[in-house]
Amino acid sequence: MNPRYDVVSIFPEYLQPLELSLIGKARRAGLLELTIRDLREFTTDRHRTVDDTPYGGGAGMVMKAEPWAQALEAIQPSEAEDPEARPVLVVPSPAGEVFTQRTAEDFAREEHIVFACGRYEGIDERVLEWAADRFRVRPVSLGDYVLNGGEVAVMAMVEATARLLPGVIGNPESLIEESHADGLLEYPVYTKPSVWRDRPVPEVLLSGNHAAIARARRDWQLERTSRRRPDLIKDLPEDALDRRDRTLLDEWAREREQDDTV
Ligand code: SAM
């Protein structure tokens, strides 16, 4: 069954980019179902109030629990005994687990995900506790910085997830070679002309030798990852590196040590 995503926000128009490009096309082709809902439609007062002052004092406003409960009940009317039968409720938050390619892969296996876009100082914490009977609740952060609202985070998460669904990307091969697919950053890429403003592309790419090209690309991946994201190299499983990989990494580490001592 094609997956279903529901996004709740007080700024539904903020999410309009999800109608464009590959995700928009995938929606129109029925590869995924995406519904954007306005939280204010689930308020009951004349002013359609969604926020109030924080208990205990402090700056800013907090999103009220009841409109969220009404919205979430409308999307998922029943509780479920079996946690596996519950949809995922993603609550974007700088205080959540960090979203990575592994999270996107996880999400791409889910049948139904609801995204609850917070604003102000966030959503009354009791909503997350209450929702646990009908959802698998996951507070998720886009990274260690603070945005004004959850919408940008949700757009990033939906795009990273949806492009992994069958049929969304024209050539599924391109997903295999991308940054983070194998725990490394992607190698640098080049296109025509072969010499541009006196800069030739690396010669090996014109050689037609597929094994040599694959090895060169692997070396570039390792070099780039060890320089820009050494944390990713540390996280690789034991069997992810062959002998040449290890030799190269040791060489670069020694070179860097020497540079540091000069
Ligand atoms: N007071 C909150 C805190 O310090 O954790 C920040 C609230 S932020 C101004 C408003 C909303 O933006 C959050 O409820 C969340 O939905 C969203 N948001 C902000 N930063 C985010 C991040 N790094 N990842 C995901 N969502 C984020």
Side-chain angles (χ1 to χ4, degrees), residues 92-95 116-123 140-150 153 157:
S93 162
C117 301
R119 280 269 154 183
Y120 317 114
E121 294 309 316
I123 303 171
V140 183
S141 169
L142 202 59
D144 292 338
Y145 41 81
V146 180
L147 301 164
N148 286 337
M157 292 186 222

Side-chain angles (χ1 to χ4, degrees), residues 23-101:
I23 307 300
K25 215 166 120 192
R27 286 172 75 182
R28 288 187 289 279
L31 297 174
L32 61 106
E33 199 186 305
L34 188 134
T35 311
I36 296 161
R37 295 160 195 266
D38 185 349
L39 181 69
R40 290 194 198 276
E41 282 175 14
F42 301 92
T43 53
T44 46
D45 65 316
R46 207 156 51 91
H47 301 290
R48 307 176 92 203
T49 312
V50 292
D51 61 320
D52 210 332
T53 51
Y55 275 121
M61 300 294 271
V62 174
M63 294 192 103
K64 289 165 72 65
E66 191 52 26
W68 276 109
Q70 296 286 338
L72 295 174
E73 274 174 340
I75 294 168
Q76 183 62 20
S78 55
E79 298 179 0
E81 280 282 317
D82 174 11
E84 286 309 306
R86 297 173 194 158
V88 174
L89 174 63
V90 174
V91 185
S93 162
E97 60 172 299
V98 175
F99 184 82
T100 67
Q101 189 65 19

Side-chain angles (χ1 to χ4, degrees), residues 177-187 217 220-222 224-226 228-229 232:
E177 293 187 357
E178 278 179 329
S179 293
H180 303 293
D182 60 0
L184 295 173
L185 304 181
E186 198 189 44
Y187 45 79
R217 284 180 165 165
W220 296 333
Q221 271 193 289
L222 286 167
R224 177 180 266 189
T225 312
S226 67
R228 294 184 185 169
R229 294 289 306 276
L232 294 180

